[in-house]
Amino acid sequence: MPPAANAVPSVLRRATLPDGRLADVHLGGGLVTEIRDHVPGPAGPGVVDLGGALLMPAFVDGHAHLDKTFLGSPWRPHVPAGDLRSQIAAEREIRRRIAVPVEERATALAHRMAALGTGYVRSHVDIDPDIGLDGLHALLAVREACRDIIGIQLVAFPQSGVVTAPGTADLLDAALREGADLIGGLDPVGFDGDLAGQLDVVFGLAERHGAGIDIHLHDGGMNGIAQLREIARRTAVLGLGGRVAVSHAYALGQVDAGEVGRTAEATAAAGVAVMTNGPAGTTPPVSRLRDLGVRVFAGSDNIRDAWWPYGTGDMLERATIVGLQCDLMTDADLHRAADLATHEAAAALGLTGYGLTPGGRADLVVVDAASVPEAVAAHPARLLVLHGGRITADHRDRSGLSDGN
């Protein structure tokens, strides 16, 4: 059958819901209007028969770098660097030599994400004295151009530091005025060597602009734990609970159970979320953190760029990676892995109206699987993707599934 991209269905018939029920999902005005147990009957106009395929809420990628990707340009061999500063310098030089503009590469990645069922992505964008606001302006254009297929949040990210890069604080301030949604940070101690200095800027700008915060924290051991607790303390003092995230938080995977418990208690109480991409090496203890009340969510991080050659933008694949790293094996565990890339990520990003529920936005993905655990374990084909109730990708012709089956 021909692709039905841009069609606006009224019913998704014979959908398997995440809880296992077979249902007919009614849509209208870009929303889910009703979910009924499936009743056999003839298909009518506007009815798309899913034949029992799994219907999930759109995936949410909680951490990406759209401005860094090489996607859309020729393959570039990875060049390792010795440390963080060396990698940043090498990346800057590589990106200068790429002929394909940032906007074009970022658009290619956004379209790939959307086709794989991601409805929302939080992208960090480099802001520093060398790049200025050029990357932000490119991604603001991408956000507008892609608004009908994917929602994009932008974090003003000080890739070269804050205190150690004079002028960056003013650039971050300007970025928030010009359309960035959140303020970022980077290893206040390990990179800037000034915990209070960097966090004064980051939290000060967040308070001034009413913006959220998302800080990269790679620093390990008790050094990283101390920074995480200080971020939690400042979040609580300013009443920013639910609007602050720490990305990576490797330190939580490098200290004993007592330290994890004490830090998780402070982090959960303050409303600070933790993002993981399930990296090789140290990974935060996802299950323990969630049991202790910490919101944990998933993101792709780098996708085929100067940091590493891997990454596809597929959030089901990312859930698989996190699941493998964190020993998530039972069906209940696999449901939790999916949550990291759906409901937990949506809550961390502050999305409203999210979810496969009456009244929720019809941002949905149909997966060629019979259950959520199967989808996570195999990350199979996406058959249909809807954004705001409109079909934005239709791959049913590859599976043999068609309307009226």
Side-chain angles (χ1 to χ4, degrees), residues 294-308:
V294 179
R295 170 154 282 132
V296 183
F297 64 107
S300 293
D301 200 11
N302 301 89
I303 297 174
R304 211 182 104 182
D305 60 18
W307 292 86
W308 53 59

Side-chain angles (χ1 to χ4, degrees), residues 2 53 61 105-106 112 123 163 192 204 257 288 290 334 336 384:
D61 190 330
R105 290 182 279 113
R112 172 178 285 191
S123 176
V163 178
D192 264 349
R288 178 116 196 275
R290 293 190 65 182
L334 294 172
R336 294 187 192 103
L384 278 178

Side-chain angles (χ1 to χ4, degrees), residues 41-117:
V47 176
V48 177
D49 195 301
L50 301 185
L54 177 66
L55 181 65
M56 299 180 68
F59 307 127
V60 180
D61 190 330
H63 184 117
H65 293 268
L66 294 176
D67 60 325
K68 294 178 182 288
T69 187
F70 297 158
L71 199 70
S73 65
W75 176 265
R76 302 187 68 89
H78 180 65
V79 180
D83 56 34
L84 186 59
R85 286 187 183 276
S86 298
Q87 189 73 59
I88 290 169
E91 177 199 23
R92 184 178 290 116
E93 185 57 34
I94 291 169
R95 286 168 67 179
R96 283 195 185 105
R97 297 198 301 266
I98 297 176
V100 181
V102 170
E103 191 171 331
E104 188 174 329
R105 290 182 279 113
T107 297
L109 180 51
H111 276 265
R112 172 178 285 191
M113 289 174 161
L116 289 166

Side-chain angles (χ1 to χ4, degrees), residues 134 192 244 374:
D134 290 351
D192 264 349
V244 176
E374 180 185 355

Side-chain angles (χ1 to χ4, degrees), residues 323-374:
L324 286 169
Q325 283 290 92
C326 297
D327 196 33
L328 303 178
M329 296 295 173
T330 68
D331 275 11
D333 288 339
L334 294 172
H335 271 280
R336 294 187 192 103
D339 282 347
L340 301 179
T342 52
H343 296 285
E344 293 301 306
L349 269 61
L351 302 181
T352 58
Y354 176 86
L356 180 46
T357 184
R361 270 183 57 97
D363 301 324
L364 305 167
V365 55
V366 180
V367 182
D368 192 10
S371 68
V372 170
E374 180 185 355

